Amino acid sequence: MARAVDEWVLREFEQATLGDPRRNARAALIVSAQAGLFGGSIPRACVTWPSIKGCYRMLSNDSVTPDGLLSGHISATIDRASSRRVVLAIEDGTSLSFPAVADIDGLGPISTSSGTKGLMVHTTLLVDRDNGETLGVARQDVWTRPKEKASPKESGDQRKKRPRESEVWARGADHLVSRIGAATEQPPRVISVFDREGDAYETLVRCRTAGAGFVIRAVHNRKLAMQVDGEDYSIDAANNGPILGHLDIQVPRRDNRPPRQARLTLRATKVTLLPPKNIGRKGEPIALTMVVVQEEGSDVPKKDRLCWVLLTDEPVETLEQARGVVDTYRLRWRIEEFHMGLKTGCGC
């Protein structure tokens, strides 16, 4: 087992850009040690004083950055992805809280609770759509929120001029499509997969500009460029769309609810979305398909039943194609598992 871990670490750090081969070697030693004691402290993992001191010295070096530490793994992930047919770029954000060291420099607020400080993290995780294999991290943004909140009296123009956290969505798509395109003559199709936080007009535009497809869970009931079956708004039209068929899935245990078999009704509706009102409807209308997934005939309370409205530019004419979109979105949970492991490893 130790040998397999060491081989994996060497492979992932082979292309690291830490500015000095000795730093690459030190980083590989640290990762191997931490892998042997997942979630353990640096002194416990590194054991000997020279190893502990070497670890702290490297991590305190200004030339060693989070991007540098991830660079080798990201390059290896891109190499793995470049030979696949369809790659899912699954994005999501989380926070890392460090209550035991809340006064340390470099941490910021992560919730409305006073005294809770930490870091914000947004990850792009690559998954092979055909076989469900996790290929690795392609991008990770880490930042600290400012201590002072934006004024509630802030105008729309002021808000547009300052950096916003929502801008991080689909940033990975720009980065990924260009890097994979440079790595191979026949790059795979990239599909961005987002939860409701990624449902923004700007995100849809960015995916289109980057050349990435998308499957995004909708939250906004948007104005349509033209009525669909008498409806003026997107989710209203989608909920009344034609039924393509049904899908039976196994829903895992959650909270106090036991696992269950769920029967889902699948609908698909083509719509054209207008740019949002808050930007004066400026921009190109976006044509896409909305897939509605609704759990039917269940004894589960209505508020707990599965109900997804998915935005996609994938072709959806048949039940099989609709199931493909649903299966793509179901792989989004892979990033939840990744972030759970990250929090456990960081002791958050």
Side-chain angles (χ1 to χ4, degrees):
M1 178 64 180
R3 182 178 178 182
V5 170
D6 291 342
E7 290 176 353
W8 179 87
V9 170
L10 290 173
R11 185 171 66 249
E12 298 301 298
F13 276 86
E14 186 177 9
Q15 302 179 64
T17 55
L18 289 171
D20 190 314
R22 291 171 296 180
R23 292 188 195 129
N24 289 7
R26 172 64 67 181
L29 287 173
I30 293 169
V31 172
S32 292
Q34 290 286 166
L37 190 66
F38 185 68
S41 65
I42 288 175
R44 287 188 63 199
C46 294
V47 183
T48 66
W49 175 241
S51 296
I52 296 169
K53 188 175 180 180
C55 177
Y56 283 125
R57 183 186 295 121
M58 191 194 78
L59 294 179
S60 63
N61 189 318
D62 291 339
S63 299
V64 177
T65 65
D67 288 342
L69 288 170
L70 264 179
S71 60
H73 170 67
I74 289 176
S75 294
T77 297
I78 297 298
D79 289 345
R80 285 187 286 270
S82 62
S83 62
R84 309 305 171 104
R85 191 179 69 88
V86 181
V87 173
L88 305 182
I90 306 174
E91 294 190 33
D92 201 11
T94 190
S95 60
L96 304 179
S97 62
F98 301 95
V101 289
D103 293 332
I104 197 170
D105 290 340
L107 301 182
I110 60 172
S111 70
T112 56
S113 301
S114 60
T116 304
K117 295 183 180 180
L119 301 171
M120 304 303 298
V121 180
H122 188 94
T123 306
T124 301
L125 188 71
L126 300 194
V127 174
D128 186 318
R129 190 182 71 172
D130 293 334
N131 61 19
E133 179 187 355
T134 300
L135 304 174
V137 173
R139 183 184 179 93
Q140 192 168 71
D141 292 274
V142 182
W143 69 95
T144 302
R145 283 175 171 166
K147 295 180 180 179
E148 299 297 328
K149 295 182 179 180
S151 170
K153 297 181 180 180
E154 181 183 54
S155 68
D157 288 339
Q158 289 173 325
R159 180 174 177 271
K160 291 173 187 175
K161 291 178 181 178
R162 66 171 171 81
R164 289 168 289 158
E165 287 187 0
S166 60
E167 294 173 1
V168 74
W169 291 93
R171 191 179 292 166
D174 294 333
H175 167 81
L176 178 61
V177 171
S178 61
R179 280 204 65 172
I180 291 184
T184 178
E185 294 182 357
Q186 294 183 318
R189 173 165 168 73
V190 175
I191 301 176
S192 294
V193 183
F194 306 149
D195 201 4
R196 287 174 288 191
E197 287 185 76
D199 178 20
Y201 173 78
E202 294 83 357
T203 302
L204 295 170
V205 171
R206 197 160 190 167
C207 286
R208 286 275 172 88
T209 303
F214 55 83
V215 174
I216 303 173
R217 188 173 176 185
V219 67
H220 300 298
N221 197 12
R222 293 183 171 90
K223 179 75 172 177
L224 299 177
M226 60 190 73
Q227 283 190 340
V228 176
D229 294 332
E231 299 289 354
D232 291 313
Y233 290 88
S234 57
I235 293 179
D236 298 334
N239 285 332
N240 294 325
I243 295 176
L244 294 180
H246 303 277
L247 172 63
D248 293 320
I249 67 169
Q250 184 69 23
V251 180
R253 179 184 299 277
R254 184 177 180 184
D255 299 328
N256 295 323
R257 297 194 296 274
R260 71 180 190 278
Q261 189 80 8
R263 185 166 182 79
L264 307 177
T265 297
L266 274 60
R267 302 172 184 268
T269 305
K270 292 182 179 179
V271 299
T272 301
L273 308 178
L274 286 175
K277 189 176 181 179
N278 64 0
I279 60 171
R281 305 290 186 195
K282 296 178 181 178
E284 291 294 322
I286 298 179
L288 48 77
T289 299
M290 300 184 71
V291 177
V292 176
V293 184
Q294 179 68 57
E295 184 175 356
E296 305 285 358
S298 172
D299 57 0
V300 175
K302 189 173 182 178
K303 64 180 180 64
D304 295 326
R305 295 178 190 175
L306 296 179
C307 182
W308 304 333
V309 180
L310 306 176
L311 309 175
T312 184
D313 62 348
E314 294 290 285
V316 186
E317 303 288 347
T318 66
L319 174 61
E320 183 178 358
Q321 289 174 327
R323 291 181 64 165
V325 172
V326 175
D327 288 342
T328 293
Y329 183 72
R330 291 177 67 193
L331 284 169
R332 197 201 70 82
W333 296 106
R334 196 68 60 82
I335 201 166
E336 303 277 2
E337 296 169 349
F338 172 81
H339 281 155
M340 187 182 299
L342 179 65
K343 286 173 175 283
T344 300
C346 291
C348 297

